[in-house]
Amino acid sequence: MKLNDKVKSALSYVLVLTIALSAGVVWKQLSKPSPEEMRQELIADIVKRLNEETGKLNYPRRIDEETQWDSFHATPHGVYYKYTLFYSGDFASLDYTKIKKNIARSICSDKTIRQIMNYGLPYIYEYYKPNKQRLFSIEITRRDCYQY
């Protein structure tokens, strides 16, 4: 084999190896999850952990004389709390803005909750009468926490 042929053979080998390595790098880049896919995976993990932890609690749980915590569950769309109100007054007189502000002040001071909300998961509080009739729902998002 001539020297020229050996050089051509070696160059061909290097070229094939370079193409193969380049294809591997490109494939690796293409197979990486997108930022949105990574966010969705994190949300799925958060939801799973929240449901596992709160699954250990017994419901219903009496919070005070007028409030009963009935359930909790998390989905990729939000973190849900369900309450029953044993309110002796007129439900129409409830100040929902004040209730939302009090909830937001309470949960927004929790670093873990704020981190969860930073992934786009709102906290949703659903309130029912003792007869299971839905009264109202309050949604707290990270935007609600900016003032706290």
Side-chain angles (χ1 to χ4, degrees), residues 123-139:
Y123 275 66
I124 300 150
Y125 294 79
E126 299 172 323
Y127 292 87
Y128 293 82
K129 291 181 179 181
N131 67 2
K132 308 296 183 210
Q133 180 184 1
R134 189 169 185 268
L135 282 167
F136 60 93
S137 178
I138 293 175
E139 182 173 320

Side-chain angles (χ1 to χ4, degrees), residues 8-144:
K8 284 181 185 178
S9 178
L11 285 175
S12 295
Y13 177 74
V14 169
L15 181 62
V16 168
L17 185 60
T18 302
I19 291 171
L21 288 173
S22 297
V25 168
V26 168
W27 176 253
K28 187 175 182 181
Q29 289 297 323
L30 291 174
S31 64
K32 278 187 177 179
S34 70
E36 179 59 22
E37 289 170 327
M38 290 172 55
R39 185 175 95 52
Q40 292 300 326
E41 286 177 20
L42 277 169
I43 288 172
D45 187 52
I46 290 168
V47 165
K48 179 182 174 194
R49 289 176 187 218
L50 286 171
N51 286 325
E52 285 173 353
E53 287 304 311
T54 58
K56 298 173 186 174
L57 300 174
N58 293 320
Y59 298 103
R61 298 177 74 115
R62 198 63 177 222
I63 304 301
D64 57 36
E65 64 184 38
E66 294 181 334
T67 313
Q68 176 177 284
W69 182 12
D70 297 317
S71 67
F72 168 94
H73 71 281
T75 73
H77 305 290
V79 179
Y80 296 84
Y81 291 84
K82 181 181 172 190
Y83 293 95
T84 298
L85 289 182
F86 298 93
Y87 184 61
S88 57
D90 180 17
F91 284 109
S93 70
L94 291 172
D95 184 350
Y96 304 117
T97 304
K98 185 177 179 181
I99 293 170
K100 180 174 181 171
K101 186 176 180 179
N102 288 338
I103 293 171
R105 185 181 302 122
S106 174
I107 70 169
C108 292
S109 64
D110 186 294
K111 184 180 177 182
T112 302
I113 290 174
R114 286 180 81 123
Q115 288 174 338
I116 291 169
M117 284 195 284
N118 283 336
Y119 287 106
L121 288 173
Y123 275 66
I124 300 150
Y125 294 79
E126 299 172 323
Y127 292 87
Y128 293 82
K129 291 181 179 181
N131 67 2
K132 308 296 183 210
Q133 180 184 1
R134 189 169 185 268
L135 282 167
F136 60 93
S137 178
I138 293 175
E139 182 173 320
I140 309 293
T141 66
R142 66 181 173 185
R143 213 173 283 148
D144 296 307

